[in-house]
Amino acid sequence: MDLKHGSMDNNVVVREFNREKDWEVVEKLERNCEVGSRKDYSILTNTLGDPLCRVRLHPLHVMLVAELVGDGEVVGVVRGCMKCVGTGLETGQVWMSYILGLRVSPKHRRMGIGLKLMKSVEAWAERNGARYVFLATEENNAASINLFVLKCDYIKLSSLAILFQPLEACSKKNPSGDVRIEKLTVEKAISLYKDRLGGEKFFPADIDVILKEDLSLGTWVSYFKEEHWDGLHCKENDKEFLSKTPSSWAILSMWKTYEVYKLQVKGAPSVRCINTTLTHIRSKILGCLRAPSSCELLAGPFGFLFLYGLHGEGERMGDLMKFLWCFALSLAKDVTDCKAIVTEVSNCDPLCGHLSWGSSISRINDVWFLKKLGGGAGNDSINWTAASQLSRVFVDPRDF
Ligand SMILES: CC(C)(COP(=O)(O)OP(=O)(O)OC[C@H]1O[C@@H](n2cnc3c(N)ncnc32)[C@H](O)[C@@H]1OP(=O)(O)O)[C@@H](O)C(=O)NCCC(=O)NCCS
């Protein structure tokens, strides 16, 4: 079809992804979007046979495609899902939709297709009861930021820091003999998270589902051996351990992202040749790579372990979190093709400063945007703009 620059509103239909019909063409579209401007390398995502992999774990999710009227060519795609999350305010929880994986074929950009996909996925969210929509993009993605802010009226919430550490690039550190690291039962982890982080922004109401998922590797706590954590192993008096924490302690959970999808850098990229036109998740990861040696280490298809639910209390929580981080590295090293550990925390989170400690830990800013559906922000009881500094935020591992 011969396309001219301008609105394609009547020439494009947005419909739901059809597995039989669209599978190959969506994979091709993703590949076209991610090639960037260089010919000597390309970056591929291996979804391990599941283009819905990043939304599938939410009970309600959708994938929409934009199809040209006439020849039926699929030229755009977007995914959405629904979740019930904390507001960080006394108003409790709200239904929120998360939008991700928006792509338009390079040949068909600036014709209104991205906007049409956004409107369609927002309408899906609203029909399914979402009060808000949120999404994230890297801070230098001007096209998507303009689309979200200028055309779709999203407000910028805050930047979060994505921290990335290739496994081989770090020296092997074993947790100190002074520190105890223990795996929590799922029930204990649920209780502890609900008790300590239940009121945080974006805290998922279905934390129990997340922690019971097959992709969840588990939850660990660390504290100094000189102290005790009464009731941590006690099956009865289940909630007692919540009030008997040591003076300092830390907690995190691990998610087997390496089983969901893998990344592959083809060719011989160096940091300088990694192009900002790469798609969201890939540029999140690859944009983090500072040392060319990291690129060599990540030459084959690789997966990563995602750390989430990071929290600490007490004066020495920073040191205790470092021990958990090193512990996660040691676990990840035993997994075939797992080449990195990754986490995302709010820049204003007190833990953030403690986490940028290793020279091989790279950091990139991820910007979150939010929109109230149905218009009329005036009567909204939740003032998200006032809450625009995301001092603490619970990053859902299913969304990464
Ligand atoms: C971001 C993206 C989806 C936009 O798709 P698109 O179909 O070109 O967007 P639209 O034509 O609907 O553009 C709507 C508005 O977005 C903004 N915009 C889109 N592309 C832009 C660009 N390259 N530079 C600046 N602003 C841009 C403009 O405000 C535009 O309105 P205008 O054309 O009237 O000025 C597309 O560029 C893309 O697939 N990029 C790669 C993947 C990606 O970054 N996805 C988003 C992160 S999840």
XYZ file of all heavy atoms in Angstrom, residues 167 172 328-338:
94
model
N 26.928 -10.577 35.635
C 27.495 -11.471 36.659
C 29.006 -11.542 36.610
O 29.672 -11.453 37.625
C 26.947 -12.887 36.482
C 25.446 -13.073 36.655
C 25.092 -14.535 36.676
C 24.959 -12.409 37.922
N 33.842 -12.047 42.941
C 33.021 -12.980 43.722
C 33.114 -12.610 45.198
O 34.181 -12.600 45.790
C 33.549 -14.397 43.498
C 32.474 -15.426 43.624
C 32.979 -16.761 43.141
C 31.839 -17.759 43.165
N 32.172 -18.983 42.491
N 22.294 -12.961 45.859
C 21.538 -13.125 44.606
C 22.502 -13.406 43.447
O 22.232 -14.251 42.587
C 20.702 -11.874 44.317
N 23.641 -12.700 43.435
C 24.639 -12.939 42.382
C 25.105 -14.383 42.417
O 25.234 -15.042 41.383
C 25.851 -12.030 42.585
C 25.717 -10.573 42.170
C 26.915 -9.780 42.658
C 25.610 -10.456 40.654
N 25.354 -14.875 43.630
C 25.857 -16.244 43.725
C 24.797 -17.246 43.263
O 25.125 -18.247 42.637
C 26.363 -16.557 45.134
O 25.282 -16.508 46.039
N 23.530 -16.976 43.529
C 22.475 -17.877 43.037
C 22.379 -17.810 41.515
O 22.251 -18.829 40.838
C 21.111 -17.486 43.619
C 20.828 -17.770 45.091
C 19.356 -17.516 45.381
C 21.176 -19.197 45.461
N 22.451 -16.585 40.989
C 22.294 -16.396 39.541
C 23.413 -17.100 38.775
O 23.209 -17.595 37.666
C 22.261 -14.908 39.205
N 24.601 -17.145 39.388
C 25.746 -17.760 38.696
C 25.535 -19.235 38.427
O 26.159 -19.805 37.548
C 27.009 -17.545 39.518
C 27.585 -16.169 39.290
C 28.848 -15.936 40.058
C 29.411 -14.574 39.673
N 30.225 -13.989 40.690
N 24.669 -19.854 39.182
C 24.424 -21.291 38.980
C 23.381 -21.564 37.909
O 23.072 -22.720 37.632
C 23.956 -21.935 40.303
C 25.088 -21.954 41.316
O 26.257 -21.935 40.883
O 24.795 -21.959 42.526
N 22.788 -20.497 37.339
C 21.721 -20.708 36.352
C 22.294 -20.552 34.949
O 22.904 -19.526 34.629
C 20.581 -19.666 36.544
C 19.486 -19.892 35.512
C 20.022 -19.741 37.954
N 22.078 -21.561 34.123
C 22.574 -21.510 32.745
C 21.980 -20.299 32.024
O 20.773 -20.062 32.125
C 22.135 -22.784 31.980
O 22.411 -23.885 32.818
C 22.851 -22.920 30.649
N 22.789 -19.573 31.331
C 22.367 -18.420 30.517
C 21.875 -17.222 31.325
O 21.438 -16.241 30.744
C 21.260 -18.794 29.509
C 21.777 -19.726 28.441
O 23.003 -19.744 28.243
O 20.955 -20.435 27.835
N 21.907 -17.278 32.625
C 21.556 -16.093 33.413
C 22.835 -15.278 33.566
O 23.780 -15.729 34.200
C 20.985 -16.496 34.768
S 20.557 -15.063 35.768
